C-alpha cells in the first residue's frame, strides 16, 4: 500500500473522532473530517482538515460524502468508521426501538459506508478500513448487553471482510479502546435514567442499575481511563503501518480484561463481574 490517503473519518464532532482527525492532520495526512452537523468541525477545519456533512444513518448523506472524496482523489484511501454511541439497560426492560436506532449507527451505518467506499478501493488496488470497536466487542458487562452486541457485530463483520477484500489489496483493522474519557459514561447514565421505569421502584433491576451507574462513574475517574489521544495514536499507527495488525487493543486494563475473559472462561469471568457489581 503506497499511500493511505485520503482518510475519511466519521463522528468527528468530539471525542475519539475529533482527536484522530487532528492527529492525522498534524502528521501530514489528507483528512476528511465528518459529522452530522459540520458546523461542529470548525476547529478541525482551522487545523487543516477538510469538512464534510455525513450522517451514517442517511443513505444520501453517505453517498454524497464518498462521492466528494472520490471526485477529487479517485478513491478513499482509508475509511475510519468511528461514529457510534451506547444504549444501556437490562435486556428485559430496554426499549428495543432505541436499540434498533443504536444499531443503525453502530453497525448498519458502518457497514453501508464500507460498502460505498469498497468499489473505489478495489479499482485503485489498495485501501484500508479501520473500524473503531471496543473492548466491549470482546467482553460483556451487565446492563450493556445491547451495546456490546453492536460491537460484537462490528468484530464479526470485520473478520469476514478482512478475508474477502485482502485479494484486492485492502486491509481491515479493528481498534478496541478500553475506558476512554470522552463523556461516554455520562451519556450512558443519562440514557438509562431517561428510559421510563428502569430506575423506578417497579424495576426488578433497580439495585443493579444503581450499582452499574456508580461503577461506571468511578471507573472513568480512575487511572483505568485515558484520554482520546491514546486511541488517536493507535489509529495513526494503523493508518501508517505497512502491515497493520488485525486488532489493536487500547489501554493495559482492556488488555488484561480481554485476557481474563479468554483464558478464564465463563465461570471465572462471571465471578469477576459479580464481584465488580457486588451481585
Amino acid at each position: 500500500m503506497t499511500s493511505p490517503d485520503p482518510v475519511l473519518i466519521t463522528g468527528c464532532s468530539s471525542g475519539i473522532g475529533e482527536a484522530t482527525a487532528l492527529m492525522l492532520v498534524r502528521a501530514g495526512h489528507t483528512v476528511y473530517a465528518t459529522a452530522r452537523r459540520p458546523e461542529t468541525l470548525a476547529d478541525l477545519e482551522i487545523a487543516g482538515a477538510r469538512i464534510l456533512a455525513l450522517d451514517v444513518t442517511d443513505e444520501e448523506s453517505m453517498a454524497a460524502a464518498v462521492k466528494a472524496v472520490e471526485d477529487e482523489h479517485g478513491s478513499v484511501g482509508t475509511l475510519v468508521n468511528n461514529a457510534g454511541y451506547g444504549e444501556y439497560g437490562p435486556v428485559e426492560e430496554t426499549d428495543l426501538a432505541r436499540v434498533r436506532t443504536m444499531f443503525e449507527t453502530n453497525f448498519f451505518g458502518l457497514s453501508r459506508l464500507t460498502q460505498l467506499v469498497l468499489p473505489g478501493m478495489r479499482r485503485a488496488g489498495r485501501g484500508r478500513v479501520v473500524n473503531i470497536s471496543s473492548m466491549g466487542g470482546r467482553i460483556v458487562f451487565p446492563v450493556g448487553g445491547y451495546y456490546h452486541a453492536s460491537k460484537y457485530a462490528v468484530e464479526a463483520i470485520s473478520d469476514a471482510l478482512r478475508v474477502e477484500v485482502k485479494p484486492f489489496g485492502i486491509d481491515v483493522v479493528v481498534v478496541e479502546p478500553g475506558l476512554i474519557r470522552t463523556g461516554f459514561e455520562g451519556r450512558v447514565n443519562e440514557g438509562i435514567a431517561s428510559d421510563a421505569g428502569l430506575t423506578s421502584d417497579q424495576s426488578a433491576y433497580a439495585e443493579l442499575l444503581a450499582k452499574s451507574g456508580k461503577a461506571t462513574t468511578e471507573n472513568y475517574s480512575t487511572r483505568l481511563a485515558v484520554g482520546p489521544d491514546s486511541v488517536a495514536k493507535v489509529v495513526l499507527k494503523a493508518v501508517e503501518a505497512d502491515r497493520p495488525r488485525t486488532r489493536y487493543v487500547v489501554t493495559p486494563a482492556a488488555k488484561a480484561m480481554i485476557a481474563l475473559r479468554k483464558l478464564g472462561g465463563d465461570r471465572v469471568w462471571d465471578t469477576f463481574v459479580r464481584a465488580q457489581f457486588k451481585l
Side-chain angles (χ1 to χ4, degrees):
M1 184 170 173
T2 58
S3 172
D5 291 343
V7 184
L8 176 64
I9 309 173
T10 64
C12 295
S13 60
S14 63
I16 292 171
E18 181 182 32
T20 298
L22 185 59
M23 188 164 291
L24 265 64
V25 165
R26 289 174 174 171
H29 293 280
T30 301
V31 174
Y32 285 81
T34 74
R36 287 181 298 174
R37 296 184 293 114
E39 64 271 17
T40 62
L41 306 174
D43 289 344
L44 289 176
E45 187 171 26
I46 292 171
R50 306 187 188 191
I51 304 305
L52 289 174
L54 197 162
D55 181 347
V56 298
T57 66
D58 182 85
E59 175 74 18
E60 291 186 5
S61 173
M62 289 187 284
V66 172
K67 184 178 185 301
V69 177
E70 291 183 343
D71 283 349
E72 187 168 353
H73 300 276
S75 67
V76 174
T78 299
L79 170 64
V80 180
N81 281 310
N82 167 70
Y85 68 99
E87 193 65 65
Y88 275 59
V91 171
E92 178 183 347
E93 297 179 333
T94 302
D95 183 352
L96 288 181
R98 291 169 57 175
V99 173
R100 291 186 181 98
T101 299
M102 177 186 65
F103 264 81
E104 284 295 334
T105 295
N106 291 9
F107 178 70
F108 291 111
L110 173 151
S111 298
R112 180 55 183 150
L113 190 57
T114 300
Q115 288 182 331
L116 289 170
V117 303
L118 284 175
M121 289 182 176
R122 285 192 292 102
R123 288 192 299 269
R126 59 181 175 82
R128 193 160 292 180
V129 177
V130 179
N131 290 330
I132 307 300
S133 178
S134 167
M135 70 174 181
R138 304 276 293 279
I139 59 177
V140 178
F141 291 104
V143 187
Y146 290 112
Y147 169 71
H148 290 290
S150 74
K151 292 301 185 180
Y152 268 66
V154 169
E155 299 275 341
I157 205 73
S158 299
D159 283 345
L161 182 66
R162 184 176 64 251
V163 178
E164 292 170 358
V165 300
K166 188 64 175 179
F168 303 107
I170 301 169
D171 295 313
V172 178
V173 179
V174 178
V175 176
E176 300 167 333
L179 300 179
I180 310 298
R181 297 190 188 98
T182 61
F184 180 87
E185 72 280 10
R187 290 190 291 272
V188 166
N189 289 336
E190 288 171 7
I192 291 174
S194 67
D195 206 343
L198 285 184
T199 56
S200 70
D201 292 337
Q202 291 76 32
S203 172
Y205 305 94
E207 183 178 356
L208 170 61
L209 288 165
K211 290 178 178 177
S212 175
K214 181 179 179 182
T216 299
T217 300
E218 289 177 350
N219 286 336
Y220 273 91
S221 65
T222 67
R223 293 182 180 179
L224 297 176
V226 299
D229 280 353
S230 296
V231 184
K233 290 176 183 176
V234 172
V235 175
L236 177 62
K237 183 184 299 184
V239 169
E240 294 187 338
D242 290 334
R243 296 183 62 188
R245 300 178 191 173
T246 58
R247 280 176 169 79
Y248 293 85
V249 182
V250 186
T251 80
K255 293 177 182 178
M257 283 188 281
I258 290 172
L260 175 64
R261 180 68 183 89
K262 180 179 180 180
L263 299 175
D266 293 341
R267 293 183 185 276
V268 170
W269 179 256
D270 288 355
T271 299
F272 168 76
V273 171
R274 286 197 300 269
Q276 292 297 305
F277 287 84
K278 298 179 174 59
L279 298 176

